[in-house]
Amino acid sequence: MAKTPQDMAATMIANMPEKTGKPLAEWVTIVRASGLEKHGEMIKLLKTEHGMTHGFANLVAHEVRGGVAAQLTDPSSDLVAAQYAGAKAGLRPIYDRIAEAVSGFGGDVELAPKKSYVSLRRARQFGLIQPSTRTRVDVGINLKDVPPEGRLEASGSFNGMVSHRVRIASPGEVDAQLLDWLRMAYERAG
């Protein structure tokens, strides 16, 4: 079963000293001392001046701006749970299967929950997972130079942040073909 975003953040926080040389609190102090206020500026500082990966830099920036660590135990902060609540609860296994597979692409994969979807990021967004109806999850994929064909349809009005969409109605439809498209988008986002 895929880890929740809270589980992944907790793992990153625990691994931060080994992977980055300092614990989260020290990185927060460094960023605050820089005087930077914008999220993107903080990430740029950590990546360029400290050699941090995007995932860790993003975690630190979120901690500086709002306290990720405090949200780890706050169930109201679980945007994914809210997306798959009520009538869409039956779609959660689809999300879990995709999230688990994508997380295996590399240590720099970031699952960034928003209010209505989860952004799949590396250096930039390469896809998204959105429970669009009670019976379907839409997977958006950035493959701008790949012509739409079959299940890989043009995104159209679905979401302007991706070039294609694949409609998924069951966990069994999370197959090698879908994961190949997502991996191709991931590799291009590096």
Side-chain angles (χ1 to χ4, degrees):
M1 180 146 187
K3 293 181 178 180
T4 67
Q6 290 80 8
D7 291 341
M8 288 184 280
T11 298
M12 287 180 73
I13 290 168
N15 291 335
M16 192 170 277
E18 176 189 344
K19 301 286 185 182
T20 68
K22 294 177 179 50
L24 179 61
E26 286 184 38
W27 286 116
V28 168
T29 301
I30 289 168
V31 172
R32 285 189 176 143
S34 74
L36 297 175
E37 294 182 12
K38 292 186 177 179
H39 186 87
E41 292 173 342
M42 293 176 200
I43 289 175
K44 184 177 180 182
L45 168 82
L46 292 166
K47 288 171 73 173
T48 59
E49 293 188 24
H50 298 282
M52 194 177 280
T53 64
H54 182 83
F56 282 116
N58 187 53
L59 180 71
V60 172
H62 278 294
E63 182 67 17
V64 170
R65 299 207 51 201
V68 172
Q71 294 176 10
L72 294 178
T73 56
D74 179 6
S76 67
S77 70
D78 191 351
L79 295 172
V80 175
Q83 290 172 21
Y84 294 92
K88 295 182 181 179
L91 299 173
R92 181 65 188 252
I94 297 171
Y95 168 82
D96 290 341
R97 195 161 184 180
I98 296 168
E100 182 175 17
V102 168
S103 294
F105 290 171
D108 58 350
V109 170
E110 176 191 357
L111 297 159
K114 311 297 183 201
K115 185 174 181 180
S116 62
Y117 65 92
V118 174
S119 175
L120 307 175
R121 299 186 49 82
R122 189 177 188 189
R124 59 183 184 270
Q125 180 171 289
F126 65 88
L128 60 87
I129 308 167
Q130 176 178 307
S132 297
T133 71
R134 293 181 309 166
T135 60
R136 187 184 80 237
V137 171
D138 286 333
V139 180
I141 306 172
N142 273 328
L143 292 172
K144 291 186 173 35
D145 60 339
V146 174
E149 183 179 336
R151 327 193 285 161
L152 185 68
E153 57 187 70
S155 66
S157 62
F158 161 63
N159 189 307
M161 298 186 64
V162 291
S163 61
H164 296 77
R165 166 175 62 177
V166 178
R167 300 170 195 238
I168 304 293
S170 73
E173 293 176 29
V174 180
D175 58 10
Q177 184 181 47
L178 174 65
L179 298 178
D180 286 347
W181 289 324
L182 285 166
R183 182 178 293 279
M184 186 185 320
Y186 161 79
E187 289 170 356
R188 292 177 180 190

